[in-house]
Amino acid sequence: MQSLINISNRLPVVVTDTITASAGGLVSAMDGLRADYDFQWVGWAGAPVEDPERRTEITRELQERFGYTPLFLSEQDVEDFYTGFSNSSLWPLMHYLPSYARYDRRWFDAYKSVNRAFAQSVVERAQHGDMVWVHDYHLMLLPALLRAQRPDLKIGFFLHTPFPSYEIFRCHPNRIELLEGLLGADLIGFHTSDYLRHFRSTVQRILGLASEINTIATETHLVSVGVYPISIPADKFETEMQSQAYHDHLREYRRIYQGKKVVLGVERLDYTKGVPRRLDAIERFLIESGRRDVVFIFISVPSRESVDAYQKLRRDIERKVSKINGELATIENAPIHFIHQSVTFSQLCALYSLADVAMVTPLIDGMNLVAKEYLVCQKDHNGVLILSEFAGAAQELPQATVVNPYNIEQMANALNDALNMPPAERNRRMAPMRRRILRYNARLWAHSFIQDLSSVTEDMRSPNKVLSLSADALKRSMAEGRWGLFLDYDGTLTELRNNPEEAGPDPALEALFILLEKSGLDVYLISGRTRDDMSRWFGNHGFHLIAEHGFYYKHRNAREWIQFEAHVDLEWKNRVADMLFHYADMTPGSFVEEKNASVVWHYRGADVEFGAWKAHQLVIELQELLSNLPVEIHHGSKIVEISSILINNGVILQHLKTLNRYDSVLCAGDDETDESMFRVAGERDISIKVGPGDTAAKYRVTSPAALRDLLSQCLR
Ligand code: GDG
C-alpha cells in the first residue's frame, strides 16, 4: 500500500501527563484517506517536553496509538519559530495586515531550522515514491527542502490562510526564500481562485517565473496549482446532533433563552475575525432598533496569548463589551454574552442549532469553517447566516447575507433584516447552502487534493530529465565526424539581463570561450544583436559571428561582415518602427531597438503583467498591419521583433552546414527565434533548448549555467 505522510505544524493531540486526541477538521478530513493509504502524520507534539525519556515515551505512544510522529521544539524555537516568525510575521501579512507584522532576523533562522527538522523527520520515514502533504504557513520552506533531498517524493502543499496580493506579500523581507520554498512542491492548493491568482502574480513579479492558469514552470519541474475549498466533516455534526448530550444542551439553552432571539459568533480570539467592528455594528443595531429581546453570544476561544497584539485585542474587546452591556442592558437582559473559553463539541452543535442568526464577519479569513458548521446544524433551515465578503467561504455561499465587515451601518442593517426575515425566505436561502456543505465535505476536499497530487506525471516532475543530455554522451557523439556548433548568445550562453547593454561576456563565459577556442571546433555565435555589439564583444575570439538573426555573417578570419541575402525587402521597417515607438510611449519601461534588418520592442523593464498584455496587443496589431508582407513577427523573451521572413537562424544553419560539409551540428537556443534551427536539425544533429517551454529541440537544459557546464565538461 502506498504511504501518505501528512505534515502539519501541530499534531492533533493534547499532550499533558496523558495524551488525548483532539478532533479538528483536518483529522476528519484525513479519515477518508486512511483506508486507501498507509497513513502517517508528522507534527509538533505541542507540549514543552525536555526530558529525553519522556520524549521517547510520548513518541512510542503516539506511534502505537495513532501512527503519529512527534517533533519536539525547544522553548526558544516555540518563541522564535511559532510565536515569532509564524504568528507575528507571516500570519498578519497573509491576512493583509502589514502594520501588525514584526520581523526579526533570529526568527527566520529558527523558522529555517525548524523546517529543516521537519524535513529530516520526513526523509527518515518516507519510502521511495511516497506522497507527502504539507499544511500551512508554518512550513513554507519544507517543500523545497524535501525536494532537494528526496526528488522521488510527490510533494503537496496546502495553504489554509489567504495568499495576499503581490503588493502585500512583497513587504516580507524573506519573500524570495518563502516562494522558492513553496515551489519545491508538485502541487500547491488554495481555498479560492483569488488566492491562486495572487500567488501566480507574486511568483511572476518576484521570481520572474511565468505561469499558466494551473501550472508554474520552474527550472526543475512544473508545479501544479489548484483551488480546493476546504470543507467540514458534515457527518460528524449530524451524528453529534443525535446524541443525548446534544439534546440535553439544546433543551437547556432553549429554556435559558426563551422568548429571546439568539445571535451567535464563534472564533479564535484573533484580530482577523473582526470582533470589534462586529460589536460596533451590534451597538448601532441595538440603539437604532430599540430591541432588547436579542442576545449576542460570543464564543471566543483563547488563542496565541503570548503575542502582544492578541493581548491588546482582548483588552479592547472586553472594554467594548462592558460599555455596551453597561449602557444597553435591562434588568431582564444583558445583550452581550462574551465567553472567553472553548465549549465542548456537543455544546457547540447545540449553540449552532439554537442560533437564529450566525454572524461570521472576519476582516479576512482563508475559508472560515464556522460558517459551514452553522449551516449543517441548521437542520430546519430556519437560521440566517450573515457572512463577510472577505471570508473565502463567501465565494461558495452566495445565498448568505453577505456584508462588508468594514461597513458598520450595513452590518447593523443586515442584523435587523436577518431578525425580521420571513421563514420562507430563510428556508429559500438556507437549503441550497446546506445541500452544498453536506455534499462537498471535508473528505471530498482531501480526496480531490490527493487525487490531483497522485496524478502529477513524471513528465511534469522532471520535464528536463526526459530530454537531458549527459556530458559523456555528448563527448562520445562529438568524437565522430566533422562538427559545427551554432550557439545563440542571450539567454542561451549567458543569462538574460534587464538592460541588454550589460550583457557582454562575463568571467564564467570567458572560461568556456577559452575551452571552445582550444577545441579547434567551428563555433558560430548567433545573436539578434547588431554587428557592432557582436564585433565589440567577440571580435577577438576565434568564432564565426552571425548577427541580427542571420542577416549578417562574419567568418572568423574575415575583417568584414557580409549580408546573406542581398535583396531583402526592408520597405516595411519604417512603418513598423512608428508603431513600436507608439507602444514604447504608452508602456513605461519599454523601448525600441532599430537594427538593419529588423525592429525590436523590448518590454523587460515594463510592469510584467501590463507589459505582457501590451505585447499581446502589439502582436495582434502587427499581424493585421503586416499580413501581406514578407516579414515574421517573433514574440520572444520579453521582446517583440519584426524581421524579414527570408532570413532566420534555421536558414543560415542549413546554408553553412552544406557549405562547410559538416557531418553534424550542435545548436542551442532559448527562444522562439531559435526554434527555426531546431526544426531544420537532422537525425545526427544535437539540438538543445535552454529553459522551460515547448520546443522542437531534442534535448533540454535548465539554464545558461547548465549549458555552460555541459559544454565545459564535454570539452575538457
Ligand atoms: C484556519 C484559517 C480556515 C471554535 N471554537 C470552538 C471550536 N471551534 C472550532 C470551530 C472550527 C474551528 O475551531 C475554527 O476554524 P475556522 O476555519 O473558523 O478558523 P481558523 O482557526 O482561523 O482556521 C481558516 C481553516 O484554517 C481551515 O483551513 O478555514 O480560514 O484561518 O472548526 O468549530 N470547537 C469546539 N469548541 C469551541 O469552543 N469544540
Side-chain angles (χ1 to χ4, degrees):
M1 194 186 262
Q2 200 189 358
S3 290
L4 170 63
I5 305 180
N6 198 51
I7 310 155
S8 61
N9 172 48
R10 287 281 294 267
L11 283 174
V13 287
V14 179
V15 177
T16 50
D17 290 342
T18 56
I19 296 177
T20 42
S22 58
L26 206 50
V27 183
S28 328
M30 295 302 152
D31 279 348
L33 298 170
R34 285 172 189 270
D36 302 332
Y37 297 93
D38 169 19
F39 185 82
Q40 306 179 48
W41 197 322
V42 173
W44 171 35
V49 183
E50 296 297 340
D51 175 21
E53 265 181 42
R54 179 70 186 128
R55 285 187 175 190
T56 314
E57 267 171 37
I58 293 173
T59 306
R60 190 177 323 114
E61 185 175 343
L62 284 173
Q63 258 312 333
E64 281 167 9
R65 277 178 60 193
F66 309 102
Y68 296 166
T69 301
L71 262 89
F72 297 94
L73 302 184
S74 67
E75 270 180 46
Q76 192 63 49
D77 277 343
V78 174
E79 202 178 311
D80 294 344
F81 153 78
Y82 181 68
T83 306
F85 197 84
S86 301
N87 288 336
S88 305
S89 183
L90 271 179
W91 174 269
L93 204 65
M94 302 310 270
H95 289 88
Y96 287 80
L97 292 164
S99 58
Y100 279 65
R102 305 279 170 270
Y103 305 100
D104 185 326
R105 176 85 245 142
R106 227 185 40 218
W107 292 352
F108 188 53
D109 290 340
Y111 189 76
K112 280 193 282 193
S113 94
V114 172
N115 272 255
R116 271 192 227 112
F118 270 85
Q120 188 54 35
S121 172
V122 175
V123 163
E124 276 167 14
R125 51 196 35 81
Q127 307 286 325
H128 186 87
D130 278 354
M131 283 199 280
V132 296
W133 188 358
V134 183
H135 293 267
D136 229 358
Y137 63 101
H138 315 86
L139 300 172
M140 284 166 107
L141 303 178
L142 187 53
L145 290 169
L146 287 173
R147 185 171 217 95
Q149 292 181 66
R150 289 290 300 273
D152 60 293
L153 301 177
K154 271 193 179 173
I155 305 162
F157 181 93
F158 187 81
L159 184 67
H160 290 260
T161 67
F163 195 94
S165 87
Y166 159 70
E167 298 298 349
I168 295 289
F169 194 80
R170 72 194 294 201
C171 300
H172 203 286
N174 307 108
R175 58 199 180 177
I176 293 180
E177 293 96 324
L178 293 168
L179 291 176
E180 287 178 345
L182 287 174
L183 289 176
D186 291 295
L187 171 64
I188 305 178
F190 302 90
H191 288 305
T192 73
S193 55
D194 287 336
Y195 308 157
L196 166 57
R197 180 166 50 82
H198 294 154
F199 181 68
R200 284 181 54 212
S201 143
T202 304
V203 163
Q204 179 168 31
R205 284 155 187 274
I206 293 180
L207 300 182
L209 294 179
S211 55
E212 304 289 325
I213 190 130
N214 60 347
T215 51
I216 300 177
T218 72
E219 279 195 356
T220 51
H221 64 290
L222 272 183
V223 183
S224 298
V225 283
V227 175
Y228 307 87
I230 197 171
S231 194
I232 58 163
D235 51 345
K236 254 188 68 186
F237 284 83
E238 293 205 296
T239 311
E240 187 60 35
M241 286 189 287
Q242 284 164 13
S243 74
Q244 194 54 48
Y246 162 85
H247 284 291
D248 290 348
H249 288 309
L250 188 55
R251 197 175 321 108
E252 173 73 359
Y253 298 155
R254 284 198 172 129
R255 190 186 59 71
I256 298 172
Y257 297 113
Q258 200 182 15
K260 294 188 179 142
K261 293 282 182 189
V262 174
V263 179
L264 179 68
V266 177
E267 55 250 313
R268 282 183 306 100
L269 190 80
D270 193 294
Y271 47 75
T272 59
K273 303 289 181 183
V275 174
R277 283 189 169 81
R278 195 183 315 153
L279 285 167
D280 289 345
I282 289 168
E283 182 178 25
R284 178 184 281 232
F285 158 79
L286 287 171
I287 293 170
E288 284 180 358
S289 71
R291 284 183 78 151
R292 297 296 176 263
D293 61 339
V294 188
V295 180
F296 296 87
I297 302 176
F298 283 77
I299 305 294
S300 202
V301 182
S303 177
R304 305 175 191 172
E305 290 173 298
S306 52
V307 179
D308 291 347
Y310 288 71
Q311 293 166 10
K312 177 170 182 311
L313 176 72
R314 180 178 174 184
R315 287 195 299 276
D316 290 350
I317 290 175
E318 285 175 346
R319 208 171 300 129
K320 264 185 203 282
V321 168
S322 51
K323 175 173 174 279
I324 297 172
N325 276 344
E327 287 171 3
L328 297 166
T330 59
I331 299 292
E332 297 82 31
N333 192 23
I336 316 271
H337 292 202
F338 180 73
I339 300 162
H340 188 49
Q341 290 163 41
S342 59
V343 293
T344 64
F345 187 51
S346 49
Q347 287 173 322
L348 183 69
C349 292
L351 284 169
Y352 281 144
S353 299
L354 174 84
D356 300 283
V357 178
M359 270 190 107
V360 180
T361 60
L363 301 179
I364 178 133
D365 213 333
M367 172 54 70
N368 194 293
L369 297 178
V370 167
K372 296 185 171 183
E373 293 167 3
Y374 174 65
L375 297 174
V376 169
C377 295
Q378 283 289 315
K379 279 196 290 197
D380 302 334
H381 300 168
N382 236 335
V384 180
L385 172 64
I386 297 179
L387 180 59
S388 160
E389 65 183 79
F390 300 116
Q395 301 203 351
E396 280 177 82
L397 305 172
Q399 297 87 353
T401 301
V402 176
V403 293
N404 172 355
Y406 294 90
N407 187 336
I408 307 299
E409 191 181 343
Q410 188 198 22
M411 280 199 285
N413 290 340
L415 200 45
N416 198 39
D417 293 348
L419 289 166
N420 294 320
M421 195 181 279
E425 175 69 0
R426 278 182 263 160
N427 193 346
R428 191 187 66 76
R429 287 164 172 258
M430 189 57 94
M433 294 197 283
R434 191 163 184 273
R435 255 198 318 274
R436 171 167 172 96
I437 304 305
L438 289 178
R439 218 187 71 74
Y440 183 77
N441 58 28
R443 283 182 187 207
L444 261 178
W445 167 77
H447 261 292
S448 45
F449 185 89
I450 287 300
Q451 201 166 9
D452 284 358
L453 179 60
S454 60
S455 42
V456 167
T457 62
E458 280 311 307
D459 271 6
M460 298 178 72
R461 286 165 43 70
S462 45
N464 307 309
K465 208 165 158 193
V466 184
L467 296 163
S468 77
L469 176 63
S470 79
D472 283 348
L474 181 58
K475 200 168 186 165
R476 272 198 304 277
S477 308
M478 289 184 58
E480 281 167 32
R482 188 172 144 71
W483 281 75
L485 271 56
F486 291 77
L487 306 174
D488 170 58
Y489 180 67
D490 291 284
T492 301
L493 284 176
T494 189
E495 285 72 12
L496 292 171
R497 319 248 170 104
N498 266 351
N499 179 2
E501 290 301 310
E502 286 170 7
D506 59 14
L509 191 53
E510 287 292 355
L512 172 66
F513 280 177
I514 292 171
L515 290 173
L516 282 168
E517 281 172 319
K518 272 200 201 148
S519 72
L521 288 162
D522 273 4
V523 177
Y524 297 83
L525 281 194
I526 308 175
S527 175
R529 288 175 180 271
T530 60
R531 286 168 292 175
D532 283 354
D533 273 355
M534 300 283 287
S535 298
R536 187 153 35 100
W537 289 339
F538 315 118
N540 295 332
H541 292 283
F543 304 136
H544 307 293
L545 303 180
I546 296 169
E548 296 202 22
H549 300 305
F551 199 71
Y552 295 107
Y553 167 67
K554 191 171 94 57
H555 188 277
R556 67 177 161 218
N557 299 328
R559 295 192 49 186
E560 300 299 324
W561 287 83
I562 58 162
Q563 192 175 324
F564 253 111
E565 288 281 348
H567 308 292
V568 179
D569 169 14
L570 295 173
E571 285 266 307
W572 47 270
K573 255 184 64 190
N574 287 344
R575 257 196 300 161
V576 171
D578 284 348
M579 187 188 279
L580 298 200
F581 278 116
H582 173 68
Y583 268 76
D585 291 342
M586 304 313 292
T587 316
S590 73
F591 65 94
V592 178
E593 183 187 10
E594 285 189 275
K595 304 185 202 172
N596 287 294
S598 67
V599 211
V600 194
W601 181 62
H602 291 261
Y603 64 97
R604 182 162 295 277
D607 174 271
V608 259
E609 272 157 330
F610 187 65
W613 175 66
K614 290 298 269 187
H616 180 70
Q617 259 194 338
L618 172 62
V619 170
I620 293 172
E621 261 194 77
L622 285 168
Q623 277 163 346
E624 272 173 34
L625 179 78
L626 306 172
S627 56
N628 295 322
L629 294 170
V631 297
E632 218 169 359
I633 305 165
H634 311 292
H635 189 176
S637 309
K638 311 282 180 183
I639 58 140
V640 175
E641 175 157 24
I642 302 88
S643 57
S644 167
I645 205 164
L646 301 172
I647 296 292
N648 63 42
N649 293 346
V651 171
I652 304 310
L653 180 137
Q654 210 150 32
H655 176 84
L656 290 166
K657 186 179 172 188
T658 315
L659 185 76
N660 294 317
R661 302 212 175 107
Y662 297 128
D663 299 311
S664 313
V665 298
L666 178 151
C667 53
D670 71 310
D671 77 6
E672 187 49 39
T673 57
D674 303 310
E675 292 292 321
S676 59
M677 296 196 287
F678 304 153
R679 281 192 289 267
V680 300
E683 263 295 289
R684 295 164 61 190
D685 300 329
I686 289 183
S687 49
I688 306 174
K689 158 92 176 171
V690 177
D694 278 349
T695 183
K698 225 187 282 179
Y699 301 101
R700 187 195 306 272
V701 294
T702 52
S703 62
L707 180 71
R708 291 196 298 265
D709 235 39
L710 177 74
L711 293 175
S712 307
Q713 281 186 44
C714 150
L715 295 171
R716 238 178 240 130

